[in-house]
Amino acid sequence: MMPSLFIAHGAPLLAIEDNSYTQALNHLPNLLPRRPRAILMFSAHWESFTQEVGVMETFPTIHDFGGFPQALYEIQYPAKGDREIAEETVALLQAAGVPVSLNQSRGLDHGHWVVLKKVYPDADVPVVSLSVNPNLTIEQQYAIGKALSPLRAKDVLIIGSGSTIHNFSYLDMRETSNGAFEWSLQFEEWLKHTLTDWNVTDLAQYRTLAPHAEKAVPAYGSEHFVPLVYAMGAADDERIANRLHMSFRYGSLSHTIWQFGQAK
């Protein structure tokens, strides 16, 4: 059984950096029970009102950012798709009553490939990409992840890629030494207790219960937070959560890795 994972994709610079976080990403394959047959991956940078499931023979690499070093724009991550898993994903969502469509034209954005480049640098594990819908409730997002749980028994690794804290208004671009604002730490610790207790009820009310939620997840943009919920829902059958890594950049941009379910 594969666990499901939430992985912060941070700034695109992670793709060309070597630090404690990228080293943790490099190490992730060693924590899995075996090599995945495919990776099913929600990216915060693909928003859609209807759930979309992406499949292509080979995904093009989308460089959806500006103002970064040229080396980032030269990176290609030519992952193959897996049509069988993509179609099974659609079928599972339809059975759960989730409106869904198959997308056969969209490439992998940096929410996908920055993470994947560190975890499987040779692009040799097939990928099925998924959109996110921040307009759904936490319960609805959780239910989408739960619907996909059977794929874990088929050696499919389900990943949510986003950031538990993501607010450009509170970034200190001078802070690059892993220092963190106190409010960032308080939010992450509340989240740690809530997830490890598997308290979906409190998670659904994080905006009123979590300290500094208005800073961590701005009301105008929760798209980076919701991949966490999809990944958590995918392990509803086990309800085990473990934070594997936490570090920070720019004072508040959190680099967290969460494992849901056991690797076995």
Side-chain angles (χ1 to χ4, degrees):
M1 176 74 76
M2 284 286 170
S4 58
L5 299 172
F6 171 78
I7 303 175
H9 60 248
L13 286 169
L14 285 175
I16 56 174
E17 291 179 328
D18 180 14
N19 52 46
S20 65
Y21 184 50
T22 63
Q23 290 164 18
L25 294 176
N26 294 155
H27 184 64
L28 272 180
N30 299 324
L31 304 180
L32 300 177
R34 63 196 65 85
R35 185 180 184 82
R37 168 188 167 168
I39 295 172
L40 198 69
M41 193 168 190
F42 293 91
S43 170
H45 289 277
W46 185 11
E47 295 183 59
S48 175
F49 289 117
T50 298
Q51 182 62 57
E52 294 197 57
V53 177
V55 63
M56 299 184 73
E57 182 174 342
T58 301
F59 286 98
T61 304
I62 304 174
H63 299 90
D64 51 337
F65 45 76
F68 287 92
Q70 180 60 31
L72 280 176
Y73 302 94
E74 296 174 358
I75 292 177
Q76 297 294 314
Y77 193 84
K80 303 294 184 183
D82 188 319
R83 179 164 289 275
E84 181 179 344
I85 294 298
E87 291 177 347
E88 186 167 357
T89 299
V90 170
L92 287 170
L93 292 170
Q94 288 175 333
V98 177
V100 59
S101 62
L102 196 64
N103 186 300
Q104 302 180 75
S105 61
R106 190 182 189 277
L108 299 181
D109 59 59
H110 80 271
H112 295 110
W113 62 261
V114 166
V115 169
L116 293 173
K117 185 70 174 174
K118 291 298 183 180
V119 181
Y120 291 106
D122 296 327
D124 51 359
V125 178
V127 174
V128 175
S129 58
L130 290 100
S131 64
V132 303
N133 185 350
N135 297 299
L136 298 177
T137 65
I138 293 291
E139 293 88 350
Q140 290 172 318
Q141 293 154 355
Y142 185 94
I144 288 174
K146 182 179 178 179
L148 301 177
S149 180
L151 293 172
R152 293 173 45 228
K154 298 185 176 184
D155 288 342
V156 175
L157 178 62
I158 299 174
I159 298 177
S161 170
S163 184
T164 46
I165 300 178
H166 188 272
N167 190 337
F168 290 138
S169 297
Y170 292 94
L171 296 182
D172 180 357
M173 304 305 291
R174 300 165 297 178
E175 177 53 70
T176 58
S177 62
N178 195 31
F181 300 132
E182 182 61 28
W183 66 263
S184 301
L185 295 171
Q186 290 176 9
F187 179 83
E188 288 291 354
E189 286 311 296
W190 181 91
L191 196 58
K192 179 182 179 181
H193 290 300
T194 302
L195 297 186
T196 53
D197 288 346
W198 211 272
N199 191 337
V200 181
T201 301
D202 279 5
L203 182 64
Q205 302 177 67
Y206 78 93
R207 287 206 174 275
T208 55
L209 296 180
H212 311 292
E214 75 286 353
K215 292 181 179 179
V217 187
Y220 59 81
S222 61
E223 74 290 336
H224 276 74
F225 186 81
V226 298
L228 173 80
V229 185
Y230 292 118
M232 184 181 184
D236 178 78
D237 55 336
E238 292 184 279
R239 300 195 169 196
I240 298 170
N242 183 25
R243 191 173 69 190
L244 302 180
H245 179 92
M246 184 177 76
S247 57
F248 285 86
R249 188 171 198 153
Y250 309 137
S252 68
L253 185 61
S254 58
H255 295 156
T256 54
I257 303 174
W258 278 92
Q259 176 178 305
F260 300 108
Q262 294 181 326
K264 56 188 177 182

